[in-house]
Amino acid sequence: MKQFTQKELETIKKRFSSMSNNGLVNYKQFQNTMGILGLDHATFLLDRIFNVISEGKKVFSLNQYINYLQLVMFGNEQQKAQLSFAFIDLQRKGYIEYKEFQQMLLDLTMFWNQITGSRVTPRQTYIGNLWDQFECERLDFTQFYQKYELIQESIDWYEYFNETEILLQSCPQTNKAFILQNMIDQFQNEIRNCVNLLSDYERNKKQIIDESFVYGPCNFSTSQIAKNGDDDPSFEISFLSNIQTNSFSMSNSSDHPLDQVLNRLEYLQQMIEQAINLPQVVQPYYFKSPARLSTQRKKNTILNMPKRKAKQKLSVYFGHENWNLILNLMIGMKQALSNIQPEFYGKIALQHEFAERYVYDILQNRCSNFDFRKAYQFKDYAPSIFLRIRRQFQISNKDFQRSVGPENLIGNLVFGKLDSLTELGSTGKSGSFFYYTQDCQYMIKTISENEARLLRKILPKYYKYIQAHPYTLLSRIFGLHQLKIFKSKTEFTKIYLVTIVNIFRSGLDIDVRYDIKGSLYGRQTQTNSNQQGQDNTIALKDLDLLSKKDYLNLEPQDQKLLIKTIIEDCSFLKDNDIIDYSLLVGFHKRDINRSSLYGQQIQNNSHPFESFEGGILSMDKQWIYFIGIIDILTLFNTKKYLEYGFKSTLVSNDISCVPPARYAERFANFIASNLILQKSK
């Protein structure tokens, strides 16, 4: 079994010391380090995890803590099955009965409702059908392990935790009435906003309020939240579990108030047209859900995740800040996506939608003794715009929510699995945290505030560009979010994140990969002389491409289209003063003796560069290429200008940091000359 590295062990020991007393950790100390899993009103997972680590005792030691984390992260199937068995067998009787299995799923459902504000009540028949697959009244570990993999495949955690929504979809008349009522409420709020804006204009205010309440996809209401230390709590937006979900947005403050009114009236006209034609617009977009990856394909996709530097990849364990960060992010994304009604949004985006932002409190119930160290606030930027971008690439709201939601992460804890964070999370060169969703379709990446500001600035142009260029290779950004992490009532940290499509999402082995910038200075991968063979997960660079003479063996028409697309994408990036982007290319060597590997993914015939298994087939049918332009949020600002002036004078004229026009020209020419039009190796 794989072991923790020395650096990881030091980190774990340091964290253990911070929560231990005399070398042992009790329940309360463990609870204080578990973030959202340690909430007083939602201790289901905490109780069972502590019971497993401590082996049924009141405290656990450092060795027990390390052994548990090691099994969860690196254990084989049987070892994880043993953890899962102990998770259910709280009394440690050595066997499981139906009532214990039932209680575990009911407790898990209650925990889910507490942390997400949902109201899911699973059917007893569903639980009974799962138990029937064991084909016995009492399970010992041997019997449990025989059915372990079957049960995992049988439970669709997304469907299990969203049964309420499924029941709603099964009643189209109720759904239609719900949409109509929401539309009526939205009409009223938009008209009220128009009146307020006109009143402000008539009073000739010096500064128009730039944060106006705009009715989003759900009923609007407000509440005062009693916070720790507040005698007179300030007015805030609250997303409490016992009321309808709320939202607010920020309009573009640079617009003239009369222009804002005209925009809102145009929006109202569009909504009225939708209401008149409601039977046609209730479900206007039908997308076929992507095929689920087989276990082997999923493992391959995990192994395909690129490493910038192998030594920087660290495991993420319970209580780790990144674990809590991602869990809260997924809960926030679930809330935001659940509140989007795709029926409200037509194909035409209005200007004010680009500036909208919706805020959600992850922890809905705050009391007088609330621990703000467990508080997160989620902010979703321009949700209707990113909804349309996903539509552009045939991604339904439900399928996207299935991928990025917390259902699988929470459900898999029952089976002793933490793979979706330990195997898919890594730290990049810039300090960014990368998380790949369990189905391997998307990557969630932390970005700087400057990058987030740039994305918001260019979002209208980006949206317009991908609408006009469906074959673009630019990173498909499907969401921009912010997490506010509280240290106290007044101290907090902001983290910005983007959701991006994973270029290597097909699950096929990537035999060779390149990260190409068109620059030669320092653009060679450093190899370890003691390492046997090349690590396929480490991306090679420009000088490696020249020495190995790898190239894309494409049909002539595909060559022309690829060059044309790269030139157009470079022109867009140049016009927005963006540099330092890369072309990420993956080579998969087809194995004709293993034809079962292929044909599991729906071929995207609408995109020529993703027409075969999510990639493009070579002219000789021997290779599949995966191509995309990544890291497109670096602005050539004053700091970069000074870096260019200094390095180009004292270091080299062929550095990566050069002005946008030169960067785009060099990038396109290098790729066309050395990667696409190369005729021989």
Side-chain angles (χ1 to χ4, degrees), residues 284-529:
Y285 295 93
Y286 295 91
F287 305 122
K288 188 173 182 180
S289 299
R292 297 177 66 180
L293 292 178
S294 67
T295 302
Q296 183 58 45
R297 289 282 288 273
K298 188 177 293 185
K299 288 180 180 178
N300 289 343
T301 306
I302 292 171
L303 295 174
N304 285 339
M305 302 309 170
K307 300 177 187 174
R308 300 296 178 93
K309 289 186 179 179
K311 65 180 181 181
Q312 292 178 334
K313 184 173 181 180
L314 300 176
S315 299
V316 182
Y317 50 87
F318 284 117
H320 190 287
E321 60 179 354
N322 285 341
W323 199 92
N324 291 323
L325 184 151
I326 291 299
L327 178 57
N328 282 277
L329 171 68
M330 291 191 294
I331 292 173
M333 293 181 73
K334 172 183 168 52
Q335 292 178 341
L337 291 168
S338 298
N339 292 333
I340 293 178
Q341 293 291 336
E343 299 82 9
F344 290 148
Y345 304 108
K347 293 183 178 180
I348 301 176
L350 302 178
Q351 188 61 37
H352 72 84
E353 294 183 60
F354 292 96
E356 287 179 348
R357 58 183 184 182
Y358 293 76
V359 179
Y360 304 85
D361 277 332
I362 303 299
L363 298 181
Q364 296 95 351
N365 299 313
R366 293 180 177 178
C367 53
S368 59
N369 61 344
F370 181 79
D371 185 357
F372 270 86
R373 292 173 298 174
K374 300 176 182 178
Y376 285 73
Q377 190 180 75
F378 177 83
K379 185 178 292 185
D380 195 24
Y381 292 95
S384 61
I385 299 301
F386 288 110
L387 171 68
R388 291 185 176 92
I389 292 176
R390 296 193 295 270
R391 281 177 180 172
Q392 170 80 10
F393 298 104
Q394 299 293 301
I395 304 297
S396 71
N397 199 53
K398 178 180 178 180
D399 286 331
F400 186 65
Q401 184 176 342
R402 180 188 292 272
S403 295
V404 302
E407 290 86 354
N408 287 316
L409 179 63
I410 296 299
N412 279 343
L413 292 177
V414 175
F415 293 112
K417 292 181 177 291
L418 198 58
D419 309 54
S420 53
L421 278 181
T422 57
E423 291 183 359
L424 304 187
S426 60
T427 304
K429 180 179 179 181
S430 63
S432 299
F433 180 78
F434 296 84
Y435 165 74
Y436 290 85
T437 58
Q438 192 183 29
D439 62 1
C440 310
Q441 296 298 303
Y442 307 103
M443 177 184 77
I444 299 172
K445 173 188 175 184
T446 58
I447 60 175
S448 67
E449 184 175 358
N450 287 336
E451 290 174 317
R453 190 180 295 116
L454 173 63
L455 178 56
R456 294 189 68 195
K457 178 182 177 181
I458 69 170
L459 184 57
K461 298 178 182 178
Y462 175 80
Y463 172 75
K464 184 178 179 181
Y465 180 81
I466 64 172
Q467 293 285 325
H469 299 80
Y471 302 158
T472 179
L473 295 173
L474 296 180
S475 293
R476 297 178 190 173
I477 302 176
F478 281 180
L480 172 62
H481 327 284
Q482 181 204 94
L483 270 181
K484 185 182 289 186
I485 306 172
F486 289 88
K487 298 179 181 178
S488 66
K489 189 177 74 170
T490 57
E491 294 182 62
F492 53 82
T493 301
K494 293 180 180 180
I495 297 178
Y496 294 89
L497 307 103
V498 288
T499 305
I500 306 173
V501 174
N502 175 23
I503 295 174
F504 300 144
R505 61 191 178 279
S506 70
L508 297 176
D509 290 321
I510 302 299
D511 300 297
V512 184
R513 73 189 67 220
Y514 287 95
D515 183 294
I516 302 172
K517 293 181 179 289
S519 169
L520 298 180
Y521 179 77
R523 295 294 297 167
Q524 186 169 23
T525 302
Q526 295 180 355
T527 57
N528 188 345
S529 58

Side-chain angles (χ1 to χ4, degrees), residues 9 12-17 20 23-25 53 60-69:
L9 283 174
I12 293 173
K13 289 178 182 178
K14 182 178 179 180
R15 186 162 189 84
F16 182 87
S17 299
S20 68
L24 296 174
V25 174
I53 299 176
F60 61 81
S61 65
L62 173 62
N63 287 336
Q64 288 174 305
Y65 185 53
I66 293 176
N67 289 340
Y68 174 74
L69 293 177

Side-chain angles (χ1 to χ4, degrees), residues 636-663:
F636 189 74
N637 51 19
T638 304
K639 181 180 178 181
K640 288 293 182 181
Y641 181 81
L642 293 175
E643 179 185 346
Y644 161 67
F646 177 79
K647 288 186 176 180
S648 61
T649 303
L650 301 179
V651 180
S652 171
N653 195 39
D654 199 24
I655 57 174
S656 176
C657 181
V658 295
R662 181 180 167 190
Y663 192 100

Side-chain angles (χ1 to χ4, degrees), residues 185-203:
D185 293 339
Q186 189 168 4
F187 293 154
Q188 295 173 345
N189 280 279
E190 287 292 344
I191 292 172
R192 189 178 300 115
N193 285 328
C194 291
V195 172
N196 290 338
L197 285 170
L198 288 173
S199 299
D200 290 339
Y201 180 64
E202 289 296 329
R203 289 194 296 268

Side-chain angles (χ1 to χ4, degrees), residues 85 88-89 95-98 100-101 131 137-139 144:
F85 187 84
I88 303 173
D89 181 22
Y95 60 86
I96 300 172
E97 295 179 314
Y98 172 72
E100 293 169 308
F101 183 76
W131 178 260
E137 296 183 0
R138 178 183 292 184
L139 280 173
F144 179 81

Side-chain angles (χ1 to χ4, degrees), residues 70-131:
Q70 204 146 260
L71 286 175
V72 168
M73 297 179 185
F74 310 127
N76 58 33
E77 198 77 357
Q78 183 173 352
Q79 290 169 325
K80 290 188 177 181
Q82 288 174 334
L83 290 177
S84 179
F85 187 84
F87 200 84
I88 303 173
D89 181 22
L90 279 176
Q91 304 300 322
R92 310 184 73 82
K93 298 179 297 184
Y95 60 86
I96 300 172
E97 295 179 314
Y98 172 72
K99 62 180 181 180
E100 293 169 308
F101 183 76
Q102 177 192 46
Q103 189 61 47
M104 182 269 295
L105 289 176
L106 291 177
D107 288 347
L108 182 63
T109 305
M110 183 173 294
F111 169 78
W112 173 262
N113 290 340
Q114 290 285 355
I115 67 171
T116 64
S118 304
R119 298 173 182 174
V120 179
T121 306
R123 293 188 300 268
Q124 296 296 326
T125 54
Y126 180 83
I127 299 176
N129 291 336
L130 288 175
W131 178 260

